[in-house]
Amino acid sequence: MRPSLKIETWNLLSELGRTQSLVQAAERLEMGLPAASRLVSSLEKELGIELLDRKRKPAQIVTKSLELFSEADRIARQYQRLLKTVLMFPCVNWPRVFICLNKSSKF
Protein backbone atom coordinates (compact mmCIF):
# COMPACT_ATOMS: atom_id res chain seq x y z
CA MET A 1 0.00 0.00 0.00
CA ARG A 2 1.27 3.43 -0.96
CA PRO A 3 -0.70 6.14 0.84
CA SER A 4 -2.04 9.01 -1.23
CA LEU A 5 -0.11 12.22 -0.94
CA LYS A 6 -2.66 14.28 -2.87
CA ILE A 7 -4.37 16.80 -0.65
CA GLU A 8 -7.35 16.84 -3.01
CA THR A 9 -7.98 13.22 -2.04
CA TRP A 10 -8.11 14.09 1.65
CA ASN A 11 -10.24 17.18 0.96
CA LEU A 12 -12.71 15.01 -0.94
CA LEU A 13 -12.87 12.44 1.85
CA SER A 14 -13.34 15.21 4.39
CA GLU A 15 -16.30 16.62 2.42
CA LEU A 16 -17.66 13.15 1.81
CA GLY A 17 -17.70 12.54 5.55
CA ARG A 18 -19.47 15.85 6.14
CA THR A 19 -22.07 15.59 3.40
CA GLN A 20 -22.48 11.79 3.28
CA SER A 21 -22.88 12.27 -0.48
CA LEU A 22 -20.32 11.97 -3.26
CA VAL A 23 -22.40 14.30 -5.45
CA GLN A 24 -22.54 17.02 -2.79
CA ALA A 25 -18.87 16.58 -1.84
CA ALA A 26 -17.83 16.95 -5.48
CA GLU A 27 -20.03 20.03 -5.90
CA ARG A 28 -18.65 21.69 -2.77
CA LEU A 29 -15.11 21.16 -4.05
CA GLU A 30 -16.06 22.28 -7.58
CA MET A 31 -14.98 18.88 -8.88
CA GLY A 32 -16.77 16.85 -11.51
CA LEU A 33 -18.57 13.77 -10.25
CA PRO A 34 -16.62 11.38 -12.54
CA ALA A 35 -13.32 12.80 -11.27
CA ALA A 36 -14.45 12.52 -7.65
CA SER A 37 -15.57 8.94 -8.17
CA ARG A 38 -12.23 8.03 -9.79
CA LEU A 39 -10.34 9.64 -6.92
CA VAL A 40 -12.29 7.60 -4.35
CA SER A 41 -11.88 4.42 -6.44
CA SER A 42 -8.15 5.02 -6.67
CA LEU A 43 -7.87 5.44 -2.92
CA GLU A 44 -9.98 2.33 -2.33
CA LYS A 45 -7.51 0.37 -4.47
CA GLU A 46 -4.50 1.90 -2.68
CA LEU A 47 -5.90 1.12 0.77
CA GLY A 48 -7.53 -2.18 -0.15
CA ILE A 49 -10.82 -1.18 1.45
CA GLU A 50 -14.27 -0.17 0.26
CA LEU A 51 -15.28 3.40 1.12
CA LEU A 52 -18.49 3.58 -0.90
CA ASP A 53 -21.12 0.93 -1.53
CA ARG A 54 -21.70 1.53 -5.22
CA LYS A 55 -24.30 -1.26 -5.48
CA ARG A 56 -26.78 1.13 -3.90
CA LYS A 57 -28.01 4.17 -5.80
CA PRO A 58 -26.96 6.72 -4.87
CA ALA A 59 -23.72 5.25 -3.54
CA GLN A 60 -23.69 4.95 0.25
CA ILE A 61 -20.78 5.42 2.62
CA VAL A 62 -19.57 2.15 4.10
CA THR A 63 -20.01 2.43 7.87
CA LYS A 64 -16.56 1.00 8.60
CA SER A 65 -14.98 3.91 6.69
CA LEU A 66 -16.44 6.68 8.89
CA GLU A 67 -13.31 6.88 11.04
CA LEU A 68 -11.21 7.42 7.93
CA PHE A 69 -13.37 10.40 6.97
CA SER A 70 -12.78 12.08 10.32
CA GLU A 71 -9.03 11.57 9.94
CA ALA A 72 -9.19 12.94 6.40
CA ASP A 73 -10.94 16.02 7.80
CA ARG A 74 -8.14 16.45 10.32
CA ILE A 75 -5.52 16.23 7.54
CA ALA A 76 -7.41 18.68 5.30
CA ARG A 77 -7.79 21.22 8.11
CA GLN A 78 -4.14 20.91 9.11
CA TYR A 79 -3.10 21.47 5.50
CA GLN A 80 -5.21 24.65 5.35
CA ARG A 81 -3.55 25.91 8.55
CA LEU A 82 -0.15 25.12 7.05
CA LEU A 83 -0.96 27.12 3.92
CA LYS A 84 -2.09 30.11 6.00
CA THR A 85 1.17 29.99 7.92
CA VAL A 86 3.29 29.68 4.79
CA LEU A 87 1.50 32.58 3.13
CA MET A 88 2.56 34.81 6.04
CA PHE A 89 6.23 34.44 5.03
CA PRO A 90 7.55 37.41 3.04
CA CYS A 91 8.95 35.30 0.19
CA VAL A 92 6.03 33.22 -0.97
CA ASN A 93 5.40 32.70 -4.67
CA TRP A 94 2.01 31.14 -5.44
CA PRO A 95 1.00 28.58 -6.79
CA ARG A 96 4.40 27.10 -6.07
CA VAL A 97 5.42 27.74 -2.51
CA PHE A 98 8.92 29.05 -2.02
CA ILE A 99 9.91 29.75 1.55
CA CYS A 100 12.74 32.15 2.26
CA LEU A 101 14.90 31.27 5.19
CA ASN A 102 17.35 33.68 6.72
CA LYS A 103 21.04 32.80 6.65
CA SER A 104 21.07 31.73 10.27
CA SER A 105 18.46 29.01 9.70
CA LYS A 106 19.71 25.50 10.30
CA PHE A 107 18.32 22.27 8.94
Side-chain angles (χ1 to χ4, degrees), residues 18-98:
R18 271 193 212 106
T19 63
Q20 303 285 303
S21 163
L22 186 58
V23 172
Q24 289 179 10
E27 285 174 357
R28 289 180 74 170
L29 294 173
E30 298 178 354
M31 178 185 290
L33 183 58
S37 183
R38 282 192 303 272
L39 202 54
V40 171
S41 292
S42 175
L43 188 61
E44 286 174 324
K45 287 176 188 166
E46 281 182 35
L47 299 175
I49 61 172
E50 184 180 48
L51 301 172
L52 294 175
D53 178 0
R54 290 181 175 81
K55 295 175 200 118
R56 301 175 75 180
K57 299 294 178 193
Q60 301 286 313
I61 291 177
V62 175
T63 306
K64 290 186 278 186
S65 64
L66 290 175
E67 187 175 335
L68 178 64
F69 294 122
S70 67
E71 287 300 313
D73 186 57
R74 189 179 62 76
I75 290 168
R77 289 176 189 270
Q78 185 63 36
Y79 182 76
Q80 291 303 318
R81 284 193 293 274
L82 175 67
L83 284 182
K84 285 179 185 177
T85 302
V86 167
L87 291 174
M88 292 171 52
F89 286 106
C91 298
V92 174
N93 183 1
W94 195 257
R96 292 187 182 151
V97 178
F98 297 97

Coordinates of all heavy atoms in Angstrom, one line a residue, residues 18-98:
R18 N -18.5 14.8 5.7 CA -19.5 15.9 6.1 C -20.8 15.7 5.5 O -21.9 15.9 6.1 CB -18.9 17.2 5.8 CG -18.0 17.8 6.9 CD -17.8 19.3 6.6 NE -16.5 19.6 7.1 CZ -15.4 19.8 6.4 NH1 -15.5 19.8 5.1 NH2 -14.3 20.0 6.9
T19 N -20.8 15.5 4.2 CA -22.1 15.6 3.4 C -22.8 14.2 3.3 O -23.9 14.2 3.0 CB -21.8 16.1 2.0 OG1 -20.9 15.2 1.3 CG2 -21.2 17.5 2.0
Q20 N -22.0 13.2 3.5 CA -22.5 11.8 3.3 C -23.0 11.6 1.8 O -23.8 10.7 1.6 CB -23.6 11.5 4.3 CG -23.2 11.7 5.7 CD -22.4 10.6 6.3 OE1 -22.8 9.4 6.2 NE2 -21.2 10.9 6.7
S21 N -22.5 12.4 0.9 CA -22.9 12.3 -0.5 C -21.7 12.6 -1.4 O -21.1 13.7 -1.3 CB -24.0 13.2 -0.7 OG -24.2 13.5 -2.1
L22 N -21.4 11.7 -2.3 CA -20.3 12.0 -3.3 C -20.7 13.1 -4.2 O -19.8 14.0 -4.5 CB -20.0 10.7 -4.1 CG -18.8 10.8 -5.0 CD1 -17.5 11.2 -4.3 CD2 -18.6 9.5 -5.8
V23 N -21.9 13.2 -4.6 CA -22.4 14.3 -5.5 C -22.2 15.7 -4.8 O -21.6 16.6 -5.3 CB -23.9 14.1 -5.8 CG1 -24.4 15.3 -6.6 CG2 -24.0 12.9 -6.7
Q24 N -22.7 15.8 -3.5 CA -22.5 17.0 -2.8 C -21.1 17.4 -2.5 O -20.7 18.5 -2.6 CB -23.3 17.0 -1.5 CG -24.8 17.0 -1.7 CD -25.6 16.9 -0.4 OE1 -25.0 17.0 0.7 NE2 -26.9 16.7 -0.5
A25 N -20.3 16.3 -2.1 CA -18.9 16.6 -1.8 C -18.2 17.1 -3.1 O -17.4 18.1 -3.0 CB -18.2 15.3 -1.3
A26 N -18.4 16.5 -4.2 CA -17.8 17.0 -5.5 C -18.3 18.4 -5.8 O -17.4 19.2 -6.2 CB -18.2 16.0 -6.6
E27 N -19.5 18.7 -5.6 CA -20.0 20.0 -5.9 C -19.4 21.1 -5.0 O -19.0 22.1 -5.5 CB -21.5 20.1 -5.7 CG -22.3 19.4 -6.8 CD -23.8 19.4 -6.6 OE1 -24.3 19.8 -5.5 OE2 -24.5 18.9 -7.5
R28 N -19.3 20.7 -3.7 CA -18.6 21.7 -2.8 C -17.2 22.0 -3.1 O -16.7 23.0 -2.8 CB -18.8 21.2 -1.3 CG -20.3 21.2 -0.9 CD -20.4 20.7 0.5 NE -19.9 21.7 1.5 CZ -20.0 21.6 2.8 NH1 -20.7 20.6 3.3 NH2 -19.5 22.6 3.6
L29 N -16.5 21.0 -3.7 CA -15.1 21.2 -4.1 C -14.9 21.6 -5.5 O -13.8 21.7 -6.0 CB -14.3 19.9 -3.8 CG -14.2 19.4 -2.4 CD1 -13.6 18.1 -2.2 CD2 -13.4 20.5 -1.6
E30 N -16.1 21.9 -6.2 CA -16.1 22.3 -7.6 C -15.3 21.3 -8.4 O -14.4 21.6 -9.2 CB -15.5 23.7 -7.7 CG -16.3 24.7 -7.0 CD -15.8 26.1 -7.1 OE1 -14.7 26.3 -7.6 OE2 -16.4 27.0 -6.6
M31 N -15.6 20.0 -8.2 CA -15.0 18.9 -8.9 C -16.1 18.1 -9.6 O -17.2 18.0 -9.1 CB -14.3 18.0 -7.8 CG -13.6 16.8 -8.3 SD -13.0 15.7 -7.0 CE -11.7 16.7 -6.4
G32 N -15.8 17.6 -10.8 CA -16.8 16.8 -11.5 C -17.0 15.5 -10.8 O -16.1 15.0 -10.2
L33 N -18.2 15.0 -10.9 CA -18.6 13.8 -10.2 C -17.7 12.6 -10.8 O -17.2 11.8 -9.9 CB -20.1 13.5 -10.4 CG -20.6 12.2 -9.7 CD1 -20.3 12.2 -8.2 CD2 -22.0 12.0 -10.0
P34 N -17.5 12.5 -12.1 CA -16.6 11.4 -12.5 C -15.2 11.4 -11.9 O -14.7 10.4 -11.5 CB -16.6 11.5 -14.0 CG -17.9 12.3 -14.4 CD -18.1 13.2 -13.2
A35 N -14.7 12.6 -11.8 CA -13.3 12.8 -11.3 C -13.3 12.4 -9.8 O -12.4 11.8 -9.3 CB -12.8 14.2 -11.5
A36 N -14.4 12.8 -9.1 CA -14.5 12.5 -7.6 C -14.6 11.0 -7.4 O -13.9 10.4 -6.6 CB -15.6 13.2 -7.0
S37 N -15.4 10.4 -8.3 CA -15.6 8.9 -8.2 C -14.3 8.2 -8.5 O -13.9 7.2 -7.8 CB -16.7 8.5 -9.1 OG -16.9 7.1 -9.0
R38 N -13.5 8.7 -9.5 CA -12.2 8.0 -9.8 C -11.2 8.2 -8.6 O -10.5 7.3 -8.3 CB -11.7 8.6 -11.1 CG -12.3 8.1 -12.3 CD -11.5 8.5 -13.6 NE -11.4 9.9 -13.7 CZ -12.2 10.7 -14.4 NH1 -13.3 10.2 -14.9 NH2 -12.0 12.0 -14.5
L39 N -11.3 9.4 -8.0 CA -10.3 9.6 -6.9 C -10.6 8.7 -5.8 O -9.7 8.1 -5.2 CB -10.5 11.1 -6.5 CG -9.4 11.7 -5.7 CD1 -8.0 11.6 -6.5 CD2 -9.7 13.2 -5.5
V40 N -11.9 8.5 -5.4 CA -12.3 7.6 -4.3 C -11.9 6.2 -4.7 O -11.4 5.4 -3.9 CB -13.8 7.7 -4.0 CG1 -14.2 6.6 -3.0 CG2 -14.1 9.1 -3.4
S41 N -12.2 5.8 -6.0 CA -11.9 4.4 -6.4 C -10.4 4.2 -6.3 O -10.0 3.1 -5.9 CB -12.3 4.2 -7.9 OG -13.7 4.2 -8.0
S42 N -9.6 5.1 -6.7 CA -8.1 5.0 -6.7 C -7.7 4.8 -5.2 O -6.8 4.0 -5.0 CB -7.5 6.3 -7.3 OG -6.1 6.2 -7.1
L43 N -8.3 5.6 -4.3 CA -7.9 5.4 -2.9 C -8.3 4.1 -2.4 O -7.6 3.5 -1.6 CB -8.4 6.6 -2.1 CG -7.9 6.6 -0.6 CD1 -6.4 6.8 -0.6 CD2 -8.7 7.7 0.1
E44 N -9.5 3.6 -2.8 CA -10.0 2.3 -2.3 C -9.0 1.2 -2.8 O -8.7 0.3 -2.0 CB -11.4 2.0 -2.9 CG -12.5 2.8 -2.3 CD -13.8 2.6 -3.0 OE1 -13.9 2.5 -4.2 OE2 -14.8 2.6 -2.2
K45 N -8.5 1.3 -4.0 CA -7.5 0.4 -4.5 C -6.2 0.5 -3.7 O -5.6 -0.6 -3.3 CB -7.2 0.6 -6.0 CG -8.4 0.1 -6.8 CD -8.1 0.4 -8.3 CE -9.4 0.1 -9.1 NZ -9.3 0.7 -10.4
E46 N -5.7 1.7 -3.4 CA -4.5 1.9 -2.7 C -4.6 1.3 -1.3 O -3.7 0.7 -0.8 CB -4.2 3.4 -2.5 CG -3.6 4.0 -3.7 CD -3.3 5.5 -3.4 OE1 -2.9 5.9 -2.3 OE2 -3.4 6.3 -4.4
L47 N -5.7 1.6 -0.6 CA -5.9 1.1 0.8 C -6.4 -0.3 0.9 O -6.3 -0.9 2.0 CB -6.9 2.1 1.5 CG -6.5 3.5 1.6 CD1 -7.6 4.3 2.2 CD2 -5.2 3.7 2.4
G48 N -7.0 -0.8 -0.2 CA -7.5 -2.2 -0.2 C -8.8 -2.3 0.6 O -9.1 -3.3 1.2
I49 N -9.5 -1.2 0.7 CA -10.8 -1.2 1.4 C -11.9 -0.5 0.6 O -11.6 0.3 -0.3 CB -10.7 -0.5 2.8 CG1 -10.3 1.0 2.6 CG2 -9.8 -1.2 3.7 CD1 -10.4 1.8 3.9
E50 N -13.1 -0.8 0.9 CA -14.3 -0.2 0.3 C -14.7 1.0 1.1 O -15.0 0.9 2.3 CB -15.4 -1.2 0.1 CG -16.6 -0.7 -0.7 CD -17.7 -1.7 -0.8 OE1 -18.0 -2.3 0.3 OE2 -18.2 -1.9 -1.9
L51 N -14.8 2.2 0.5 CA -15.3 3.4 1.1 C -16.7 3.7 0.8 O -17.5 4.2 1.6 CB -14.4 4.6 0.7 CG -12.9 4.5 1.0 CD1 -12.2 5.6 0.4 CD2 -12.7 4.4 2.6
L52 N -17.1 3.4 -0.4 CA -18.5 3.6 -0.9 C -19.1 2.3 -1.4 O -18.4 1.5 -2.0 CB -18.5 4.6 -2.1 CG -18.1 6.0 -1.8 CD1 -18.1 6.8 -3.1 CD2 -19.0 6.7 -0.8
D53 N -20.4 2.1 -1.0 CA -21.1 0.9 -1.5 C -21.8 1.4 -2.8 O -22.8 2.1 -2.8 CB -22.1 0.5 -0.5 CG -23.0 -0.7 -1.0 OD1 -22.8 -1.2 -2.1 OD2 -23.9 -1.1 -0.2
R54 N -21.2 1.1 -3.9 CA -21.7 1.5 -5.2 C -22.8 0.7 -5.8 O -23.4 1.0 -6.8 CB -20.6 1.6 -6.2 CG -19.6 2.7 -5.9 CD -18.5 2.8 -6.9 NE -17.6 3.9 -6.7 CZ -16.6 3.9 -5.8 NH1 -16.4 2.9 -5.1 NH2 -15.8 5.0 -5.7
K55 N -23.2 -0.4 -5.1 CA -24.3 -1.3 -5.5 C -25.6 -0.5 -5.2 O -26.6 -0.8 -5.8 CB -24.3 -2.6 -4.7 CG -23.1 -3.4 -5.1 CD -23.0 -4.7 -4.2 CE -21.6 -5.3 -4.2 NZ -21.1 -5.3 -2.9
R56 N -25.6 0.4 -4.2 CA -26.8 1.1 -3.9 C -26.8 2.4 -4.7 O -25.7 3.0 -5.0 CB -26.8 1.4 -2.4 CG -26.8 0.1 -1.6 CD -26.7 0.3 -0.2 NE -28.0 0.8 0.3 CZ -28.2 1.2 1.6 NH1 -27.3 1.1 2.5 NH2 -29.4 1.6 2.0
K57 N -27.9 2.9 -5.1 CA -28.0 4.2 -5.8 C -28.9 5.1 -5.0 O -30.0 4.8 -4.7 CB -28.6 4.0 -7.2 CG -27.9 3.0 -8.1 CD -26.5 3.6 -8.4 CE -25.7 2.6 -9.3 NZ -24.4 2.9 -9.5
P58 N -28.3 6.3 -4.6 CA -27.0 6.7 -4.9 C -26.0 5.9 -4.0 O -26.4 5.3 -3.0 CB -27.0 8.2 -4.5 CG -28.1 8.3 -3.5 CD -29.1 7.3 -3.9
A59 N -24.7 6.0 -4.3 CA -23.7 5.3 -3.5 C -23.8 5.7 -2.1 O -24.0 6.8 -1.8 CB -22.3 5.5 -4.1
Q60 N -23.6 4.7 -1.2 CA -23.7 5.0 0.3 C -22.3 4.8 0.9 O -21.5 3.9 0.4 CB -24.7 4.0 0.9 CG -26.1 4.0 0.4 CD -26.8 5.2 0.9 OE1 -26.8 5.6 2.0 NE2 -27.5 5.9 -0.1
I61 N -22.0 5.6 1.9 CA -20.8 5.4 2.6 C -20.8 4.1 3.4 O -21.8 3.8 4.0 CB -20.6 6.6 3.6 CG1 -20.3 7.9 2.7 CG2 -19.5 6.4 4.6 CD1 -20.2 9.1 3.6
V62 N -19.7 3.4 3.3 CA -19.6 2.1 4.1 C -19.3 2.5 5.5 O -18.4 3.3 5.8 CB -18.4 1.3 3.5 CG1 -18.2 0.1 4.4 CG2 -18.7 0.9 2.1
T63 N -20.1 2.0 6.5 CA -20.0 2.4 7.9 C -18.6 2.3 8.4 O -18.2 3.2 9.2 CB -21.0 1.6 8.7 OG1 -22.3 1.7 8.1 CG2 -21.0 2.1 10.1
K64 N -17.9 1.2 8.1 CA -16.6 1.0 8.6 C -15.6 2.1 8.2 O -14.5 2.3 8.8 CB -16.0 -0.3 8.1 CG -16.7 -1.5 8.7 CD -16.1 -2.8 8.4 CE -16.5 -3.2 7.0 NZ -16.0 -4.6 6.6
S65 N -15.9 2.9 7.2 CA -15.0 3.9 6.7 C -15.2 5.3 7.4 O -14.4 6.2 7.1 CB -15.1 4.1 5.2 OG -16.4 4.5 4.8
L66 N -16.2 5.4 8.3 CA -16.4 6.7 8.9 C -15.2 7.2 9.6 O -15.0 8.5 9.6 CB -17.7 6.6 9.8 CG -19.0 6.4 9.1 CD1 -20.1 6.2 10.1 CD2 -19.3 7.6 8.2
E67 N -14.5 6.4 10.3 CA -13.3 6.9 11.0 C -12.3 7.5 10.1 O -11.6 8.5 10.4 CB -12.7 5.8 11.9 CG -11.6 6.2 12.8 CD -11.0 5.1 13.7 OE1 -11.7 4.2 13.9 OE2 -9.9 5.3 14.0
L68 N -12.1 6.9 8.9 CA -11.2 7.4 7.9 C -11.6 8.8 7.5 O -10.8 9.7 7.3 CB -11.2 6.5 6.7 CG -10.2 7.0 5.6 CD1 -8.8 7.0 6.0 CD2 -10.4 6.1 4.4
F69 N -12.9 9.1 7.4 CA -13.4 10.4 7.0 C -13.0 11.5 8.0 O -12.6 12.6 7.7 CB -14.9 10.4 6.7 CG -15.2 9.5 5.5 CD1 -16.1 8.5 5.6 CD2 -14.7 9.8 4.2 CE1 -16.5 7.7 4.5 CE2 -15.0 9.0 3.2 CZ -15.9 8.0 3.3
S70 N -13.1 11.1 9.3 CA -12.8 12.1 10.3 C -11.3 12.4 10.3 O -10.9 13.5 10.5 CB -13.3 11.6 11.7 OG -12.6 10.5 12.1
E71 N -10.5 11.4 10.0 CA -9.0 11.6 9.9 C -8.7 12.4 8.7 O -7.8 13.2 8.7 CB -8.3 10.2 9.9 CG -8.2 9.5 11.3 CD -7.6 10.4 12.3 OE1 -6.5 10.9 12.1 OE2 -8.2 10.5 13.4
A72 N -9.4 12.2 7.6 CA -9.2 12.9 6.4 C -9.5 14.4 6.7 O -8.8 15.3 6.2 CB -10.1 12.4 5.3
D73 N -10.6 14.6 7.4 CA -10.9 16.0 7.8 C -9.8 16.7 8.6 O -9.5 17.8 8.4 CB -12.3 16.0 8.6 CG -12.8 17.4 8.9 OD1 -13.0 18.2 7.9 OD2 -12.9 17.8 10.0
R74 N -9.3 15.9 9.5 CA -8.1 16.5 10.3 C -7.0 16.8 9.4 O -6.4 17.9 9.6 CB -7.7 15.4 11.4 CG -6.7 15.9 12.4 CD -6.4 14.9 13.4 NE -5.7 13.7 12.8 CZ -4.4 13.7 12.4 NH1 -3.7 14.7 12.5 NH2 -3.9 12.6 11.9
I75 N -6.6 16.0 8.5 CA -5.5 16.2 7.5 C -5.8 17.5 6.7 O -5.0 18.3 6.5 CB -5.3 15.0 6.6 CG1 -4.7 13.9 7.5 CG2 -4.4 15.4 5.5 CD1 -4.7 12.5 6.7
A76 N -7.0 17.6 6.2 CA -7.4 18.7 5.3 C -7.3 20.0 6.1 O -6.8 21.0 5.6 CB -8.8 18.5 4.7
R77 N -7.8 20.0 7.3 CA -7.8 21.2 8.1 C -6.4 21.6 8.5 O -6.0 22.8 8.4 CB -8.6 21.0 9.4 CG -10.1 21.0 9.1 CD -10.9 20.8 10.4 NE -12.3 20.5 10.2 CZ -13.2 21.5 10.1 NH1 -12.8 22.7 10.3 NH2 -14.4 21.2 9.9
Q78 N -5.5 20.6 8.8 CA -4.1 20.9 9.1 C -3.4 21.5 7.9 O -2.6 22.4 8.0 CB -3.4 19.6 9.6 CG -2.0 19.9 10.1 CD -1.9 20.8 11.3 OE1 -2.8 20.8 12.1 NE2 -0.9 21.6 11.3
Y79 N -3.7 21.0 6.7 CA -3.1 21.5 5.5 C -3.5 22.9 5.3 O -2.7 23.8 4.9 CB -3.5 20.6 4.3 CG -2.9 21.1 3.0 CD1 -1.5 20.8 2.7 CD2 -3.6 21.7 2.1 CE1 -1.0 21.2 1.5 CE2 -3.1 22.2 0.9 CZ -1.7 21.9 0.6 OH -1.2 22.3 -0.5
Q80 N -4.8 23.3 5.5 CA -5.2 24.7 5.3 C -4.5 25.6 6.3 O -4.1 26.7 6.0 CB -6.7 24.8 5.5 CG -7.5 24.1 4.4 CD -7.2 24.7 3.1 OE1 -7.0 25.9 2.9 NE2 -7.0 23.8 2.1
R81 N -4.3 25.1 7.6 CA -3.5 25.9 8.6 C -2.1 26.1 8.1 O -1.5 27.2 8.2 CB -3.6 25.3 9.9 CG -4.9 25.5 10.6 CD -4.9 25.1 12.1 NE -4.7 23.7 12.3 CZ -5.6 22.8 12.4 NH1 -6.9 23.1 12.2 NH2 -5.4 21.5 12.6
L82 N -1.5 25.0 7.6 CA -0.1 25.1 7.1 C 0.0 26.2 5.9 O 0.9 27.0 5.9 CB 0.3 23.7 6.5 CG 1.7 23.7 5.9 CD1 2.8 24.0 6.9 CD2 1.9 22.4 5.2
L83 N -1.0 26.1 5.0 CA -1.0 27.1 3.9 C -1.1 28.5 4.4 O -0.4 29.4 4.0 CB -2.1 26.9 2.9 CG -1.9 25.7 2.0 CD1 -3.1 25.6 1.0 CD2 -0.6 25.8 1.2
K84 N -1.9 28.8 5.4 CA -2.1 30.1 6.0 C -0.8 30.6 6.6 O -0.4 31.7 6.5 CB -3.2 30.1 7.0 CG -4.6 30.1 6.4 CD -5.6 30.1 7.5 CE -7.0 29.9 6.9 NZ -8.1 29.8 7.9
T85 N -0.1 29.7 7.3 CA 1.2 30.0 7.9 C 2.2 30.3 6.9 O 2.9 31.3 7.0 CB 1.7 28.8 8.8 OG1 0.7 28.6 9.8 CG2 3.0 29.1 9.5
V86 N 2.3 29.5 5.8 CA 3.3 29.7 4.8 C 3.1 31.0 4.1 O 4.0 31.7 3.8 CB 3.3 28.5 3.8 CG1 4.1 28.8 2.5 CG2 3.8 27.3 4.4
L87 N 1.8 31.3 3.8 CA 1.5 32.6 3.1 C 1.9 33.8 3.9 O 1.9 34.9 3.4 CB 0.0 32.6 2.7 CG -0.3 31.6 1.6 CD1 -1.8 31.6 1.4 CD2 0.4 31.9 0.3
M88 N 2.1 33.7 5.2 CA 2.6 34.8 6.0 C 4.0 35.1 5.9 O 4.5 36.2 6.2 CB 2.2 34.5 7.5 CG 0.8 34.5 7.8 SD 0.3 33.9 9.4 CE 1.3 34.9 10.5
F89 N 4.8 34.2 5.3 CA 6.2 34.4 5.0 C 6.4 35.5 3.9 O 5.6 35.5 3.0 CB 6.9 33.2 4.6 CG 7.2 32.2 5.7 CD1 6.4 31.0 5.8 CD2 8.2 32.4 6.6 CE1 6.6 30.1 6.8 CE2 8.4 31.5 7.7 CZ 7.6 30.3 7.7
P90 N 7.4 36.3 4.0 CA 7.6 37.4 3.0 C 7.9 36.9 1.6 O 7.7 37.7 0.7 CB 8.7 38.3 3.6 CG 9.4 37.4 4.5 CD 8.4 36.4 5.1
C91 N 8.5 35.8 1.5 CA 9.0 35.3 0.2 C 8.2 34.1 -0.3 O 8.7 33.1 -0.6 CB 10.4 34.9 0.3 SG 11.5 36.3 0.7
V92 N 6.9 34.3 -0.5 CA 6.0 33.2 -1.0 C 5.6 33.5 -2.4 O 5.2 34.6 -2.7 CB 4.8 33.0 -0.1 CG1 3.8 32.0 -0.7 CG2 5.2 32.6 1.3
N93 N 5.8 32.6 -3.3 CA 5.4 32.7 -4.7 C 4.3 31.7 -5.0 O 4.6 30.5 -4.9 CB 6.7 32.5 -5.5 CG 6.4 32.7 -7.0 OD1 5.3 33.0 -7.4 ND2 7.4 32.5 -7.8
W94 N 3.1 32.1 -5.2 CA 2.0 31.1 -5.4 C 1.8 30.9 -6.9 O 2.0 31.9 -7.7 CB 0.8 31.7 -4.8 CG -0.3 30.7 -4.7 CD1 -1.4 30.6 -5.4 CD2 -0.4 29.7 -3.7 NE1 -2.2 29.6 -5.0 CE2 -1.6 29.0 -4.0 CE3 0.4 29.3 -2.6 CZ2 -2.0 27.9 -3.2 CZ3 0.0 28.2 -1.9 CH2 -1.2 27.5 -2.2
P95 N 1.5 29.8 -7.5 CA 1.0 28.6 -6.8 C 2.1 27.7 -6.2 O 1.8 26.8 -5.4 CB 0.2 27.8 -7.9 CG 0.9 28.2 -9.1 CD 1.4 29.6 -8.9
R96 N 3.3 27.9 -6.7 CA 4.4 27.1 -6.1 C 4.8 27.8 -4.8 O 4.9 29.0 -4.8 CB 5.6 27.0 -7.0 CG 5.3 26.1 -8.2 CD 6.6 25.9 -8.9 NE 6.4 25.2 -10.1 CZ 7.1 25.2 -11.2 NH1 8.1 26.1 -11.3 NH2 6.8 24.5 -12.3
V97 N 5.1 27.1 -3.8 CA 5.4 27.7 -2.5 C 6.9 27.7 -2.4 O 7.5 26.7 -2.3 CB 4.7 27.0 -1.3 CG1 5.1 27.6 0.0 CG2 3.2 27.0 -1.5
F98 N 7.5 28.9 -2.3 CA 8.9 29.1 -2.0 C 9.0 29.8 -0.7 O 8.5 30.8 -0.5 CB 9.6 29.9 -3.1 CG 9.5 29.3 -4.4 CD1 8.6 29.7 -5.4 CD2 10.5 28.3 -4.8 CE1 8.5 29.1 -6.6 CE2 10.4 27.8 -6.1 CZ 9.4 28.1 -7.0

